[in-house]
Amino acid sequence: MAAKFRSRKSYRFAFRSSLYIVIISISVLALLQWRFSSINWGILISAAIFFFIISFVTLQLRIEKFIYKRIKKIYDDVELLESSTILSYPVSTDMRTLTAEIEKFAKDKRIEIDTLKIREEYRKDFLGNVSHELKTPLFTVQGYIETLLDGAIDDKNVRKKYLIRANKAVDRLIYIVKDLDLITKLEVGHLTLEKHSFDIIDLIQSVFDLLEMKAAKKNITLTFDMDYVDPIFVFADKEKIQQVLTNLLVNSIKYGNDNGTTEVSVENLVKNKVIVRVTDNGEGIPAIHIPRLFERFYRVDQSGSRREGGSGLGLAIVKHVIEAHGEKIYVESAVEVGSEFSFTLEKSIVQIEEVQ
């Protein structure tokens, strides 16, 4: 869209320049009058007014024409950048105003360039991580299939074992793709939340039951911080909050110490909010990694031989689900002490009325 060019005139430069011309001219004229005759003040004043008017008009017209053409060329060039905010203002031929606008424009563009550089780095990291996560199960499937094709398929026991392992690798691929699809929908806002009232205590207990066997393998106890006799109703998408709790608890089991404990608490935060805390006494997270924990595919263990699997999208999904609810998520951790992930939820109107 073309910029609407309106010249906002400035007379400051022409006025000052005309004064300088008048002062010099009248000084020379007065000196000549004094040298050859007596000083005639009437002539001097008339000459001063005449010189001032002529100088002012000439300078102003010349400056406007000279500056207008060049400034309009600048704005025409800038107009090529459709996102430029400078085009939303009237074009000014005043140097002070123009300088301020151009400086602001340049600053905004520097910020945009820095943002694009950050996004480019993020894109490279993301593509590298996606290829790494998909490469391992794909090569695993390929290896087992090639082995079977090379003759191992004739051995019934080997055939069954390799097909089971290949199937597990395919399951991992499906798991990663599903998580990628979910987080993409969350990021672009295409995932609709189906909010309703439900008992968060009952939901947490159901997640405990689902993960009981997984926790038992490391002898980790999943427990509440206290006995919750009364239900606590919240207003949210039950299915998505269940996924949040599952991801957080699975992480606490993965990185928890054997014979450890993962504790969940639900506390009143303010009148219409509760905060859910998931606390473990596991290995903890170094402080340097905490700012990037919720990035897609970011892992604390960057080595190629990681102890624990997963899609690397669990915490990123947790963050997006909580933010889609308009809530906040927090993390605190200390190495060899443990970690605590907490998030807020809106109380159900039923719960608020009961409290009142």
Side-chain angles (χ1 to χ4, degrees):
M1 183 177 179
K4 188 175 182 180
F5 193 91
R6 286 190 296 149
S7 175
R8 196 163 67 219
K9 297 181 179 180
S10 172
Y11 301 99
R12 187 183 302 110
F13 178 78
F15 182 82
R16 290 178 179 175
S17 299
S18 298
L19 282 180
Y20 296 147
I21 293 172
V22 167
I23 291 171
I24 294 171
S25 302
I26 296 304
S27 297
V28 172
L29 183 59
L31 183 62
L32 290 173
Q33 284 187 345
W34 175 77
R35 176 68 179 81
F36 297 104
S37 61
S38 60
I39 296 177
N40 188 326
W41 292 104
I43 294 176
L44 288 178
I45 293 173
S46 299
I49 295 173
F50 176 78
F51 286 147
F52 180 83
I53 292 174
I54 293 299
S55 301
F56 181 82
V57 172
T58 303
L59 286 170
Q60 185 65 23
L61 291 175
R62 289 294 300 155
I63 289 169
E64 281 187 11
K65 187 175 180 181
F66 179 80
I67 295 177
Y68 181 93
K69 287 183 178 179
R70 282 152 183 79
I71 292 179
K72 189 174 186 303
K73 178 65 169 60
I74 293 173
Y75 276 85
D76 289 341
D77 292 340
V78 172
E79 185 182 350
L80 296 175
L81 303 174
E82 294 182 357
S83 62
S84 171
T85 56
I86 198 171
L87 300 180
S88 61
Y89 301 101
V91 176
S92 173
T93 54
D94 176 59
M95 288 296 101
R96 182 179 298 176
T97 305
L98 179 64
T99 301
E101 288 181 356
I102 294 298
E103 286 178 352
K104 182 179 181 300
F105 171 76
K107 183 179 179 181
D108 291 342
K109 289 303 161 188
R110 282 197 298 270
I111 293 173
E112 285 184 21
I113 291 169
D114 291 340
T115 302
L116 288 174
K117 287 180 179 178
I118 293 171
R119 287 179 179 176
E120 177 64 14
E121 289 299 320
Y122 181 79
R123 184 188 66 82
K124 289 178 181 178
D125 289 344
F126 174 70
L127 291 176
N129 286 324
V130 169
S131 64
H132 176 79
E133 295 297 332
L134 296 178
K135 179 174 61 178
T136 302
L138 279 173
F139 285 173
T140 301
V141 173
Q142 183 184 40
Y144 287 134
I145 291 176
E146 286 179 350
T147 303
L148 290 172
L149 291 175
D150 287 342
I153 195 170
D154 297 327
D155 188 322
K156 184 177 180 181
N157 293 329
V158 173
R159 180 176 64 203
K160 183 177 180 180
K161 181 173 68 174
Y162 279 17
L163 286 174
I164 290 173
R165 291 180 179 178
N167 186 59
K168 286 183 178 179
V170 172
D171 287 341
R172 175 166 167 73
L173 279 171
I174 294 172
Y175 179 69
I176 293 171
V177 171
K178 282 184 175 179
D179 277 358
L180 274 171
D181 179 59
L182 175 60
I183 199 168
T184 301
K185 289 179 179 178
L186 285 166
E187 288 182 344
V188 300
H190 288 171
L191 195 66
T192 304
L193 297 177
E194 298 179 2
K195 291 186 177 182
H196 60 275
S197 297
F198 62 90
D199 180 10
I200 188 69
I201 301 299
D202 183 62
L203 181 63
I204 294 169
Q205 184 59 59
S206 67
V207 176
F208 281 174
D209 295 340
L210 288 172
L211 299 177
E212 182 179 8
M213 292 183 65
K214 189 177 186 69
K217 291 180 181 180
K218 296 182 69 173
N219 200 26
I220 291 176
T221 303
L222 303 178
T223 182
F224 286 103
D225 66 317
M226 57 177 282
D227 290 330
Y228 290 91
V229 179
D230 299 321
I232 298 177
F233 290 97
V234 296
F235 186 70
D237 186 317
K238 185 175 181 179
E239 183 181 341
K240 298 299 181 294
I241 297 302
Q242 180 176 0
Q243 184 167 17
V244 167
L245 290 166
T246 301
N247 287 358
L248 292 178
L249 287 169
V250 166
N251 272 4
S252 74
I253 295 170
K254 279 183 182 179
Y255 303 106
N257 295 322
D258 291 348
N259 305 309
T261 302
T262 295
E263 184 180 271
V264 180
S265 64
V266 182
E267 305 169 12
N268 288 318
L269 189 61
V270 290
K271 181 179 178 181
N272 65 330
K273 298 282 185 181
V274 296
I275 185 166
V276 181
R277 303 182 191 275
V278 178
T279 309
D280 64 59
N281 56 357
E283 59 192 48
I285 305 166
I288 191 174
H289 296 291
I290 289 179
R292 299 190 62 187
L293 274 181
F294 297 102
E295 291 182 15
R296 290 180 292 182
F297 294 112
Y298 185 79
R299 295 179 185 271
V300 174
D301 181 7
Q302 301 288 342
S303 65
S305 56
R306 295 190 285 259
R307 291 187 296 109
E308 300 294 344
S311 69
L313 297 168
L315 288 179
I317 290 173
V318 166
K319 179 175 181 289
H320 283 292
V321 169
I322 295 301
E323 289 183 347
H325 282 77
E327 304 294 340
K328 300 289 185 182
I329 185 164
Y330 310 94
V331 57
E332 295 180 11
S333 187
V335 177
E336 304 300 333
V337 176
S339 305
E340 178 181 282
F341 288 83
S342 58
F343 59 92
T344 59
L345 285 176
E346 181 183 352
K347 284 184 185 177
S348 168
I349 188 68
V350 176
Q351 191 73 34
I352 296 173
E353 287 175 352
E354 286 182 358
V355 172
Q356 289 176 342

